[in-house]
Short mmCIF file of all heavy atoms in Angstrom, two decimals:
data_model
loop_
_atom_site.label_atom_id
_atom_site.label_comp_id
_atom_site.label_asym_id
_atom_site.label_seq_id
_atom_site.Cartn_x
_atom_site.Cartn_y
_atom_site.Cartn_z
N ASP A 200 -4.84 -1.94 -26.60
CA ASP A 200 -6.18 -2.15 -27.06
C ASP A 200 -7.17 -2.22 -25.94
O ASP A 200 -8.37 -2.48 -26.14
CB ASP A 200 -6.18 -3.64 -27.58
CG ASP A 200 -5.33 -3.78 -28.87
OD1 ASP A 200 -5.25 -2.75 -29.55
OD2 ASP A 200 -4.74 -4.96 -29.09
N ALA A 201 -6.78 -1.66 -24.81
CA ALA A 201 -7.67 -1.52 -23.58
C ALA A 201 -8.79 -0.48 -23.87
O ALA A 201 -8.54 0.61 -24.48
CB ALA A 201 -7.02 -1.27 -22.42
N GLY A 202 -10.06 -0.77 -23.58
CA GLY A 202 -11.01 0.20 -23.64
C GLY A 202 -11.07 1.16 -22.46
O GLY A 202 -10.29 1.08 -21.60
N LEU A 203 -12.16 1.99 -22.31
CA LEU A 203 -12.30 2.91 -21.19
C LEU A 203 -12.47 2.26 -19.91
O LEU A 203 -12.21 2.99 -18.83
CB LEU A 203 -13.43 3.92 -21.54
CG LEU A 203 -13.21 4.91 -22.81
CD1 LEU A 203 -14.36 5.68 -23.01
CD2 LEU A 203 -11.86 5.69 -22.65
N TRP A 204 -12.84 0.99 -19.86
CA TRP A 204 -12.90 0.31 -18.52
C TRP A 204 -11.62 0.32 -17.88
O TRP A 204 -11.61 0.19 -16.58
CB TRP A 204 -13.46 -1.08 -18.77
CG TRP A 204 -14.84 -1.26 -18.90
CD1 TRP A 204 -15.69 -1.30 -20.01
CD2 TRP A 204 -15.78 -1.30 -17.75
NE1 TRP A 204 -17.03 -1.35 -19.66
CE2 TRP A 204 -17.06 -1.39 -18.28
CE3 TRP A 204 -15.64 -1.43 -16.40
CZ2 TRP A 204 -18.26 -1.64 -17.57
CZ3 TRP A 204 -16.74 -1.54 -15.60
CH2 TRP A 204 -18.04 -1.68 -16.09
N ILE A 205 -10.55 0.48 -18.52
CA ILE A 205 -9.30 0.43 -17.88
C ILE A 205 -9.06 1.66 -16.88
O ILE A 205 -8.30 1.50 -15.97
CB ILE A 205 -8.02 0.52 -18.88
CG1 ILE A 205 -6.73 0.11 -18.23
CG2 ILE A 205 -7.89 1.74 -19.57
CD1 ILE A 205 -6.75 -1.43 -17.83
N ILE A 206 -9.82 2.66 -17.17
CA ILE A 206 -9.82 3.93 -16.25
C ILE A 206 -10.33 3.58 -14.90
O ILE A 206 -9.83 3.82 -13.82
CB ILE A 206 -10.48 5.13 -16.93
CG1 ILE A 206 -9.83 5.47 -18.23
CG2 ILE A 206 -10.54 6.35 -16.03
CD1 ILE A 206 -10.44 6.56 -19.04
N LEU A 207 -11.61 2.86 -14.98
CA LEU A 207 -12.27 2.64 -13.72
C LEU A 207 -11.38 1.48 -12.97
O LEU A 207 -11.29 1.55 -11.78
CB LEU A 207 -13.62 1.96 -14.14
CG LEU A 207 -14.42 1.47 -12.85
CD1 LEU A 207 -14.57 2.46 -11.70
CD2 LEU A 207 -15.79 0.88 -13.28
N LEU A 208 -10.94 0.55 -13.80
CA LEU A 208 -10.09 -0.57 -13.17
C LEU A 208 -8.82 0.08 -12.54
O LEU A 208 -8.40 -0.41 -11.37
CB LEU A 208 -9.67 -1.45 -14.22
CG LEU A 208 -9.04 -2.91 -13.65
CD1 LEU A 208 -9.97 -3.53 -12.80
CD2 LEU A 208 -8.68 -3.76 -14.85
N SER A 209 -8.24 1.09 -13.03
CA SER A 209 -7.00 1.72 -12.51
C SER A 209 -7.40 2.40 -11.25
O SER A 209 -6.65 2.34 -10.17
CB SER A 209 -6.53 2.70 -13.59
OG SER A 209 -6.05 2.21 -14.69
N MET A 210 -8.63 2.96 -11.06
CA MET A 210 -9.02 3.64 -9.81
C MET A 210 -9.28 2.62 -8.78
O MET A 210 -8.83 2.79 -7.62
CB MET A 210 -10.24 4.52 -10.09
CG MET A 210 -9.93 5.64 -11.11
SD MET A 210 -11.45 6.59 -11.49
CE MET A 210 -11.80 7.43 -9.89
N LEU A 211 -9.90 1.46 -9.19
CA LEU A 211 -10.10 0.45 -8.16
C LEU A 211 -8.82 -0.10 -7.70
O LEU A 211 -8.72 -0.42 -6.47
CB LEU A 211 -10.97 -0.59 -8.76
CG LEU A 211 -12.42 -0.29 -9.13
CD1 LEU A 211 -13.07 -1.37 -9.87
CD2 LEU A 211 -13.07 0.05 -7.87
N MET A 212 -7.78 -0.43 -8.61
CA MET A 212 -6.57 -0.89 -8.30
C MET A 212 -5.85 0.15 -7.37
O MET A 212 -4.98 -0.25 -6.47
CB MET A 212 -5.72 -1.19 -9.44
CG MET A 212 -4.44 -1.95 -9.13
SD MET A 212 -3.70 -2.67 -10.56
CE MET A 212 -3.19 -1.24 -11.53
N SER A 213 -5.92 1.42 -7.59
CA SER A 213 -5.29 2.46 -6.86
C SER A 213 -5.88 2.24 -5.40
O SER A 213 -5.14 2.28 -4.36
CB SER A 213 -5.70 3.78 -7.38
OG SER A 213 -5.33 4.81 -6.40
N PHE A 214 -7.20 2.08 -5.23
CA PHE A 214 -7.76 1.94 -3.84
C PHE A 214 -7.20 0.72 -3.28
O PHE A 214 -6.96 0.57 -1.97
CB PHE A 214 -9.23 1.89 -3.90
CG PHE A 214 -9.97 1.72 -2.66
CD1 PHE A 214 -10.00 2.68 -1.71
CD2 PHE A 214 -10.61 0.43 -2.42
CE1 PHE A 214 -10.64 2.52 -0.47
CE2 PHE A 214 -11.18 0.32 -1.16
CZ PHE A 214 -11.26 1.41 -0.21
N ALA A 215 -7.05 -0.46 -4.03
CA ALA A 215 -6.46 -1.64 -3.41
C ALA A 215 -5.12 -1.32 -2.97
O ALA A 215 -4.76 -1.87 -1.87
CB ALA A 215 -6.54 -2.78 -4.49
N GLY A 216 -4.34 -0.65 -3.72
CA GLY A 216 -2.99 -0.31 -3.23
C GLY A 216 -3.03 0.48 -1.93
O GLY A 216 -2.18 0.26 -1.03
N GLN A 217 -3.92 1.38 -1.78
CA GLN A 217 -3.98 2.26 -0.58
C GLN A 217 -4.44 1.36 0.58
O GLN A 217 -3.80 1.61 1.69
CB GLN A 217 -5.03 3.34 -0.78
CG GLN A 217 -4.61 4.42 -1.92
CD GLN A 217 -5.73 5.39 -2.25
OE1 GLN A 217 -6.99 4.88 -2.21
NE2 GLN A 217 -5.46 6.51 -2.70
N MET A 218 -5.29 0.39 0.36
CA MET A 218 -5.63 -0.58 1.36
C MET A 218 -4.41 -1.47 1.87
O MET A 218 -4.32 -1.74 2.98
CB MET A 218 -6.78 -1.43 0.95
CG MET A 218 -8.06 -0.67 0.80
SD MET A 218 -8.68 0.08 2.39
CE MET A 218 -8.09 1.76 2.14
N GLY A 219 -3.54 -1.79 0.90
CA GLY A 219 -2.33 -2.53 1.19
C GLY A 219 -1.53 -1.68 2.13
O GLY A 219 -0.89 -2.11 3.09
N ASP A 220 -1.36 -0.38 1.82
CA ASP A 220 -0.69 0.62 2.66
C ASP A 220 -1.33 0.75 3.97
O ASP A 220 -0.57 0.63 5.04
CB ASP A 220 -0.64 1.94 2.01
CG ASP A 220 0.32 2.96 2.56
OD1 ASP A 220 0.92 2.65 3.57
OD2 ASP A 220 0.58 3.98 1.99
N ILE A 221 -2.61 0.79 4.09
CA ILE A 221 -3.37 0.85 5.32
C ILE A 221 -3.11 -0.28 6.10
O ILE A 221 -2.85 -0.34 7.41
CB ILE A 221 -4.78 1.21 5.05
CG1 ILE A 221 -5.09 2.54 4.57
CG2 ILE A 221 -5.70 0.89 6.32
CD1 ILE A 221 -4.99 3.64 5.57
N ALA A 222 -3.21 -1.59 5.55
CA ALA A 222 -2.98 -2.80 6.19
C ALA A 222 -1.63 -2.85 6.92
O ALA A 222 -1.60 -3.31 8.00
CB ALA A 222 -3.25 -4.01 5.31
N GLU A 223 -0.57 -2.42 6.25
CA GLU A 223 0.67 -2.59 6.70
C GLU A 223 0.83 -1.52 7.91
O GLU A 223 1.61 -1.66 8.91
CB GLU A 223 1.88 -2.28 5.75
CG GLU A 223 3.13 -2.84 6.13
CD GLU A 223 4.29 -1.77 6.12
OE1 GLU A 223 3.97 -0.63 5.76
OE2 GLU A 223 5.44 -2.06 6.62
N SER A 224 0.23 -0.28 7.72
CA SER A 224 0.26 0.75 8.91
C SER A 224 -0.47 0.21 10.03
O SER A 224 0.00 0.50 11.16
CB SER A 224 -0.54 2.01 8.25
OG SER A 224 0.22 2.63 7.32
N ALA A 225 -1.52 -0.58 9.87
CA ALA A 225 -2.34 -1.10 10.99
C ALA A 225 -1.35 -2.24 11.74
O ALA A 225 -1.37 -2.25 13.00
CB ALA A 225 -3.56 -1.72 10.50
N LEU A 226 -0.64 -2.93 10.86
CA LEU A 226 0.26 -3.95 11.47
C LEU A 226 1.32 -3.31 12.31
O LEU A 226 1.58 -3.70 13.42
CB LEU A 226 0.89 -4.76 10.34
CG LEU A 226 1.99 -5.77 10.78
CD1 LEU A 226 1.42 -6.83 11.68
CD2 LEU A 226 2.59 -6.34 9.48
N LYS A 227 1.92 -2.20 11.76
CA LYS A 227 2.99 -1.51 12.46
C LYS A 227 2.48 -0.88 13.84
O LYS A 227 3.14 -0.99 14.73
CB LYS A 227 3.68 -0.51 11.60
CG LYS A 227 4.52 -1.17 10.46
CD LYS A 227 5.33 -0.09 9.83
CE LYS A 227 4.64 0.92 8.89
NZ LYS A 227 5.28 1.88 8.13
N ARG A 228 1.25 -0.30 13.67
CA ARG A 228 0.74 0.34 14.87
C ARG A 228 0.46 -0.84 15.96
O ARG A 228 0.66 -0.58 17.14
CB ARG A 228 -0.50 1.00 14.56
CG ARG A 228 -1.28 1.76 15.70
CD ARG A 228 -2.27 2.64 15.15
NE ARG A 228 -1.77 3.83 14.42
CZ ARG A 228 -1.37 4.96 15.03
NH1 ARG A 228 -1.66 5.21 16.29
NH2 ARG A 228 -0.98 6.00 14.26
N ARG A 229 -0.07 -1.87 15.50
CA ARG A 229 -0.36 -3.07 16.39
C ARG A 229 0.91 -3.52 17.06
O ARG A 229 0.92 -3.93 18.24
CB ARG A 229 -1.15 -4.18 15.68
CG ARG A 229 -1.55 -5.25 16.49
CD ARG A 229 -2.18 -6.40 15.64
NE ARG A 229 -2.60 -7.52 16.38
CZ ARG A 229 -3.86 -7.61 16.97
NH1 ARG A 229 -4.75 -6.62 16.74
NH2 ARG A 229 -4.25 -8.63 17.57
N MET A 230 2.04 -3.59 16.29
CA MET A 230 3.25 -4.14 16.81
C MET A 230 4.02 -2.98 17.56
O MET A 230 5.13 -3.31 18.23
CB MET A 230 4.15 -4.68 15.64
CG MET A 230 3.47 -5.93 14.99
SD MET A 230 3.22 -7.23 16.13
CE MET A 230 1.39 -7.24 16.24
N GLY A 231 3.65 -1.80 17.44
CA GLY A 231 4.38 -0.66 18.08
C GLY A 231 5.72 -0.36 17.56
O GLY A 231 6.63 0.11 18.21
N VAL A 232 5.76 -0.44 16.18
CA VAL A 232 7.06 -0.15 15.50
C VAL A 232 6.80 1.04 14.38
O VAL A 232 5.65 1.19 13.93
CB VAL A 232 7.66 -1.33 14.76
CG1 VAL A 232 7.96 -2.41 15.71
CG2 VAL A 232 6.75 -1.95 13.70
N LYS A 233 7.84 1.74 14.12
CA LYS A 233 7.70 2.77 13.14
C LYS A 233 7.84 2.33 11.71
O LYS A 233 7.16 2.76 10.80
CB LYS A 233 8.66 3.84 13.37
CG LYS A 233 8.62 5.06 12.41
CD LYS A 233 9.72 6.15 12.71
CE LYS A 233 9.55 7.19 11.72
NZ LYS A 233 10.73 8.32 11.96
N ASP A 234 8.91 1.42 11.47
CA ASP A 234 9.16 0.83 10.19
C ASP A 234 9.18 -0.71 10.32
O ASP A 234 9.40 -1.27 11.47
CB ASP A 234 10.56 1.31 9.68
CG ASP A 234 10.54 2.93 9.64
OD1 ASP A 234 9.63 3.31 8.90
OD2 ASP A 234 11.47 3.51 10.00
N SER A 235 9.12 -1.35 9.10
CA SER A 235 9.10 -2.78 9.17
C SER A 235 10.51 -3.36 9.46
O SER A 235 10.65 -4.35 10.00
CB SER A 235 8.69 -3.36 7.72
OG SER A 235 9.41 -2.94 6.76
N SER A 236 11.49 -2.65 9.16
CA SER A 236 12.88 -2.86 9.49
C SER A 236 13.72 -1.67 9.17
O SER A 236 13.18 -0.65 8.79
CB SER A 236 13.46 -4.07 8.65
OG SER A 236 13.68 -3.71 7.32
N ALA A 237 15.02 -1.70 9.43
CA ALA A 237 15.99 -0.62 9.09
C ALA A 237 16.83 -0.98 7.95
O ALA A 237 17.97 -0.46 7.81
CB ALA A 237 16.95 -0.30 10.34
N LEU A 238 16.25 -1.85 7.08
CA LEU A 238 17.15 -2.31 5.94
C LEU A 238 17.53 -1.23 4.98
O LEU A 238 18.66 -1.26 4.48
CB LEU A 238 16.25 -3.48 5.27
CG LEU A 238 17.05 -4.21 4.16
CD1 LEU A 238 18.10 -5.10 4.82
CD2 LEU A 238 16.02 -5.19 3.42
N ILE A 239 16.68 -0.28 4.78
CA ILE A 239 16.92 0.82 3.86
C ILE A 239 17.10 2.12 4.80
O ILE A 239 16.11 2.68 5.20
CB ILE A 239 15.90 1.04 2.84
CG1 ILE A 239 15.48 -0.32 2.16
CG2 ILE A 239 16.32 2.13 1.78
CD1 ILE A 239 14.29 -0.21 1.24
N PRO A 240 18.22 2.56 5.07
CA PRO A 240 18.46 3.65 5.94
C PRO A 240 17.64 4.91 5.59
O PRO A 240 17.69 5.37 4.40
CB PRO A 240 19.92 3.99 5.76
CG PRO A 240 20.66 2.65 5.31
CD PRO A 240 19.48 2.08 4.43
N GLY A 241 16.87 5.41 6.47
CA GLY A 241 15.92 6.45 6.26
C GLY A 241 14.71 6.29 5.60
O GLY A 241 13.84 7.11 5.49
N HIS A 242 14.44 5.02 5.13
CA HIS A 242 13.30 4.57 4.39
C HIS A 242 12.60 3.35 4.92
O HIS A 242 11.65 2.97 4.30
CB HIS A 242 13.62 4.39 2.92
CG HIS A 242 13.99 5.61 2.21
ND1 HIS A 242 13.10 6.62 1.70
CD2 HIS A 242 15.22 6.11 1.94
CE1 HIS A 242 13.70 7.54 1.14
NE2 HIS A 242 15.14 7.36 1.27
N GLY A 243 13.11 2.76 6.02
CA GLY A 243 12.43 1.71 6.57
C GLY A 243 12.88 0.35 5.90
O GLY A 243 14.04 0.13 5.54
N GLY A 244 11.90 -0.50 5.69
CA GLY A 244 12.21 -1.82 5.03
C GLY A 244 11.52 -2.05 3.78
O GLY A 244 10.84 -1.11 3.19
N LEU A 245 11.69 -3.19 3.19
CA LEU A 245 11.01 -3.47 1.85
C LEU A 245 9.50 -3.56 1.99
O LEU A 245 8.85 -3.18 1.08
CB LEU A 245 11.67 -4.81 1.29
CG LEU A 245 13.17 -4.86 0.84
CD1 LEU A 245 13.37 -6.14 0.14
CD2 LEU A 245 13.41 -3.63 -0.06
N PHE A 246 9.08 -4.05 3.15
CA PHE A 246 7.66 -4.12 3.45
C PHE A 246 7.07 -2.68 3.30
O PHE A 246 5.90 -2.53 2.84
CB PHE A 246 7.33 -4.67 4.76
CG PHE A 246 5.94 -5.37 4.89
CD1 PHE A 246 5.56 -6.10 5.95
CD2 PHE A 246 5.03 -5.26 3.92
CE1 PHE A 246 4.30 -6.56 6.16
CE2 PHE A 246 3.83 -5.82 4.00
CZ PHE A 246 3.39 -6.51 5.09
#
């Protein structure tokens, strides 16, 4: 039942997700690590 506003909201949420990714990248760069952990071999951690 969602109207066309859901399209704009989806794009804004996409950007928010990208900022979540950027925030974690900034954290890893600040801490000098490549991955949040080695919990998932070849893929880093859950974070």
Side-chain angles (χ1 to χ4, degrees):
D200 295 330
L203 294 177
W204 273 94
I205 195 69
I206 297 175
L207 175 60
L208 191 58
S209 297
M210 296 175 71
L211 292 174
M212 188 167 66
S213 170
F214 180 68
Q217 291 168 337
M218 290 300 98
D220 192 352
I221 288 288
E223 203 237 355
S224 294
L226 173 64
K227 290 190 293 185
R228 183 170 288 270
R229 185 180 179 89
M230 296 301 109
V232 298
K233 181 181 178 182
D234 299 312
S235 60
S236 75
L238 192 63
I239 312 171
H242 293 277
L245 293 188
F246 203 177

